[in-house]
Amino acid sequence: MYILKWKTQFESEGVDALKNKKKGRAIMKKDSKKTTLVEGSVEAFQAEVEHLRMENVYLKKLNDLVQNKEKNHQTRQSPSSL
């Protein structure tokens, strides 16, 4: 069965038809949009400011989550201690 298939592929397409073909999903390459920023340039400062803003937002959300968790933990313990 396979031999007949291989033979017809070889006869129609040549040796290249018998080579292994990659299967599965193609690997997605990351875009190389990142450019090298010159230290001290306006773009470098803007990128750093944006990074720090994102970090501040993350830390504020993390702080809120921790406070809510502690608050919920305290409210669960209060009624049972009475």
Side-chain angles (χ1 to χ4, degrees):
M1 185 161 117
Y2 289 112
I3 297 173
L4 181 61
K5 182 179 174 183
W6 293 339
K7 182 181 175 195
T8 55
Q9 285 179 338
F10 177 75
E11 289 173 350
S12 64
E13 300 175 37
V15 177
D16 291 333
L18 301 178
K19 291 184 180 177
N20 288 335
K21 296 175 179 83
K22 293 184 180 181
K23 295 182 181 179
R25 291 185 177 190
I27 297 173
M28 294 182 66
K29 295 182 180 179
K30 294 182 179 180
D31 292 336
S32 58
K33 291 182 180 178
K34 294 182 180 179
T35 57
T36 307
L37 299 176
V38 178
E39 189 174 333
S41 68
V42 174
E43 292 84 10
F45 285 127
Q46 288 175 341
E48 184 178 0
V49 167
E50 183 64 25
H51 176 78
L52 292 172
R53 285 181 180 160
M54 289 189 301
E55 186 177 354
N56 283 339
V57 170
Y58 170 78
L59 292 173
K60 285 179 183 179
K61 288 183 181 182
L62 181 63
N63 189 23
D64 289 342
L65 288 172
V66 170
Q67 287 180 352
N68 285 338
K69 186 175 181 180
E70 289 175 356
K71 186 178 179 181
N72 288 339
H73 185 66
Q74 289 175 355
T75 55
R76 288 186 201 162
Q77 288 181 348
S78 296
S80 62
S81 63
L82 293 175

